[in-house]
């Protein structure tokens, strides 16, 4: 604990040095990036996350190797080395498919007879597990447009899994999870203060870490409904799927960024209605989305073993999302016209 406390102090020090020296800056002026923040802020959060994750998972060298590869895809994206979304998605797919195959890391049950028959086929199970992890890590990146949104969402998910005793010690120890929660709180404070951002590297890394923890929990807790785990991560996953369908319906490439995600519409509403600073609007918008998702995750945690209960909650969440999104989109369109 003393060593970890020293590491947190080093994070604060390094974060300020990066900010003062202008290292690993994020701002490129793209519209999807500048809608809520036009300051040049270091994309150092992912690096600070990677180091303790490697340490806590040090007993499995192969696992560490895949975590580093996933982080590097995001890091090279942040540094404008790996610019093409298609190339990033291709590399993600290859790496994750190798990960689930080599480690035999696959989803076992969907509680739907037809799909469970398919999941008994190893090839299908590997591809399906790859698809789920891809949706999560890219969904994480999709919602990473407001201060603290990805970090706080990950905090909430990990807290509830830990609180329910659904993270096995042989996967990662309880003490390690508690330290990761402390690390995320530290990064959250720096993030909402505009001292650092986690970048694509951090978003991919956190998404991959959540995917690893959640599927591990699913494998080791077959009494828990798989839809409870879906309820935990429904927002980034649905945001990703909804965005793809929305863009395809407009003949727009789903791989290209835009400024019409839910968090961007919430920010537009808050900024327009309250007429407050961009920084405060950013943080407040994030808090509103997090409060909504905290309620959903809390409700889902009441009966994690009840599949029908979880399905109703997921369907309700999706309907609420669509209604809120539609209203916010109309508000934005009306105000842009006037």
């Amino acid at each position: 604990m003393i060593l970890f406390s020293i590491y947190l102090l080093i994070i604060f020090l390094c974060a300020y040095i990066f900010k003062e020296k202008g290292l690993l800056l994020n701002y490129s002026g793209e519209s999807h990036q500048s809608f809520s923040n036009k300051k040049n802020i270091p994309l150092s959060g992912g690096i600070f996350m990677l180091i303790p994750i490697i340490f806590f998972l040090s007993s499995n060298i192969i696992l560490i190797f895949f975590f580093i590869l996933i982080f590097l895809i995001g890091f090279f994206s942040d540094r404008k080395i790996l610019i093409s979304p298609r190339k990033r998605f291709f590399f993600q797919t290859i790496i994750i498919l190798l990960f689930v195959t080599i480690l035999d890391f696959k989803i076992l049950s969907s509680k739907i007879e037809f799909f469970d028959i398919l999941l008994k086929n190893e090839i299908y199970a590997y591809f399906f597990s790859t698809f789920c992890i891809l949706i999560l890590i890219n969904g994480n990146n999709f919602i990473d447009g407001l201060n603290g949104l990805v970090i706080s969402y990950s905090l909430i998910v990990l807290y509830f899994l830990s609180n329910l005793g659904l993270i096995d010690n042989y996967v990662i120890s309880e003490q390690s999870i508690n330290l990761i929660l402390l690390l995320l709180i530290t990064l959250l404070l720096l993030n909402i203060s505009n001292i650092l951002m986690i970048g694509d590297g951090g978003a991919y890394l956190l998404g991959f870490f959540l995917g690893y923890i959640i599927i591990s929990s699913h494998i080791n807790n077959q009494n828990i409904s798989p839809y409870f785990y879906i309820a935990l991560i429904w927002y980034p996953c649905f945001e990703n799927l909804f965005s793809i369908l929305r863009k395809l319906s407009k003949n727009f490439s789903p791989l290209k960024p835009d400024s019409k995600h839910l968090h961007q519409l919430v920010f537009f509403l808050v900024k327009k209605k309250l007429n407050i600073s961009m920084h405060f609007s950013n943080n407040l918008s994030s808090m509103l989305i997090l409060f909504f998702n905290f309620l959903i995750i809390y409700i889902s945690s009441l009966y994690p073993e009840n599949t029908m209960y979880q399905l109703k909650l997921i369907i309700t969440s999706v309907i609420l999302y669509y209604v809120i999104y539609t209203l916010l989109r109309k508000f934005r369109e009306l105000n842009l016209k006037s």
Side-chain angles (χ1 to χ4, degrees):
M1 185 64 186
I2 294 175
L3 287 175
F4 195 77
S5 298
I6 294 172
Y7 179 70
L8 295 182
L9 289 174
I10 292 173
I11 289 177
F12 273 102
L13 179 62
C14 289
Y16 276 99
I17 291 173
F18 284 12
K19 181 84 183 267
E20 290 299 314
K21 298 295 183 181
L23 302 174
L24 302 177
L25 297 178
N26 76 306
Y27 187 61
S28 62
E30 298 168 87
S31 60
H32 74 279
Q33 181 192 58
S34 61
F35 82 98
S36 66
N37 200 331
K38 297 185 178 181
K39 293 184 178 180
N40 244 329
I41 300 169
L43 297 168
S44 55
I47 297 171
F48 297 138
M49 282 190 287
L50 180 64
I51 295 170
I53 286 176
I54 288 175
F55 179 79
F56 295 141
L57 300 176
S58 58
S59 60
N60 192 329
I61 301 300
I62 297 175
L63 186 60
I64 291 171
F65 175 71
F66 283 110
F67 269 92
I68 292 173
L69 287 179
I70 289 294
F71 167 76
L72 287 176
I73 292 174
F75 180 78
F76 290 143
S77 172
D78 290 330
R79 303 320 309 146
K80 307 302 177 186
I81 297 170
L82 190 56
I83 299 173
S84 169
R86 286 183 175 84
K87 289 181 180 178
R88 292 200 300 271
F89 186 75
F90 172 77
F91 287 131
Q92 287 172 1
T93 303
I94 296 301
I95 290 167
I96 295 171
L97 185 56
L98 286 172
F99 165 72
V100 299
T101 304
I102 292 171
L103 295 179
D104 192 29
F105 192 74
K106 56 184 183 288
I107 294 167
L108 301 178
S109 172
S110 66
K111 298 295 184 183
I112 298 174
E113 186 176 354
F114 173 73
F115 286 111
D116 283 350
I117 292 171
L118 291 176
L119 285 172
K120 290 179 181 178
N121 180 293
E122 282 199 343
I123 295 175
Y124 176 83
Y126 288 142
F127 275 99
F128 180 69
S129 300
T130 299
F131 170 77
C132 291
I133 297 173
L134 279 169
I135 291 294
L136 177 55
I137 65 173
N138 286 288
N140 242 28
N141 199 39
F142 270 44
I143 68 172
D144 186 30
L146 294 175
N147 286 347
L149 190 52
V150 169
I151 297 173
S152 297
Y153 196 91
S154 301
L155 263 168
I156 293 168
V157 172
L158 289 172
Y159 168 77
F160 275 97
L161 282 172
S162 178
N163 191 54
L164 291 170
L166 295 177
I167 304 177
D168 289 322
N169 271 320
Y170 86 89
V171 173
I172 186 169
S173 70
E174 183 179 352
Q175 182 185 24
S176 296
I177 284 293
N178 290 336
L179 291 177
I180 286 175
L181 292 176
L182 187 58
L183 169 69
L184 291 178
I185 291 170
T186 301
L187 294 177
L188 175 62
L189 293 174
L190 291 168
N191 186 209
I192 63 176
S193 302
N194 272 348
I195 295 177
L196 62 72
M197 291 183 175
I198 64 171
D200 290 353
Y204 291 163
L205 182 64
L206 265 181
F208 192 58
F209 182 73
L210 285 181
Y212 171 66
I213 295 297
I214 286 172
I215 295 178
S216 296
S217 180
H218 160 70
I219 292 170
N220 295 300
N221 297 280
Q222 287 295 295
N223 61 311
I224 301 297
S225 170
Y227 297 96
F228 166 69
Y229 298 109
I230 295 174
L232 288 179
I233 53 173
W234 83 277
Y235 170 53
C237 292
F238 183 73
E239 177 72 31
N240 191 357
L241 292 170
F242 181 75
S243 177
I244 291 170
L245 294 173
R246 172 174 58 81
K247 290 174 183 178
L248 287 174
S249 69
K250 301 294 183 180
N251 294 318
F252 187 79
S253 172
L255 295 175
K256 291 184 178 180
D258 67 5
S259 299
K260 295 179 182 179
H261 297 295
L262 177 69
H263 62 273
Q264 294 164 325
L265 298 179
V266 172
F267 173 83
F268 184 87
L269 174 70
V270 170
K271 187 74 174 66
K272 194 78 174 176
K273 286 291 187 180
L274 300 182
N275 194 28
I276 52 181
S277 72
M278 186 172 282
H279 183 197
F280 192 70
S281 297
N282 187 319
N283 289 341
L284 180 58
S285 301
S286 183
M287 288 173 61
L288 291 172
I289 295 172
L290 287 166
F291 178 71
F292 174 68
N293 281 288
F294 177 85
L295 290 178
I296 292 170
I297 293 173
Y298 170 74
I299 293 169
S300 73
S301 71
L302 298 177
Y303 303 101
E305 72 290 338
N306 190 322
T307 291
M308 190 55 64
Y309 176 85
Q310 300 297 332
L311 278 170
K312 289 177 181 178
L313 180 60
I314 293 167
I315 292 169
T316 302
S317 302
V318 168
I319 292 171
L320 284 173
Y321 175 102
Y322 184 76
V323 171
I324 293 169
Y325 182 90
T326 301
L327 293 173
L328 290 173
R329 187 194 63 199
K330 288 181 179 178
F331 175 84
R332 181 177 182 270
E333 290 172 351
L334 287 172
N335 280 273
L336 288 177
K337 288 179 181 178
S338 60

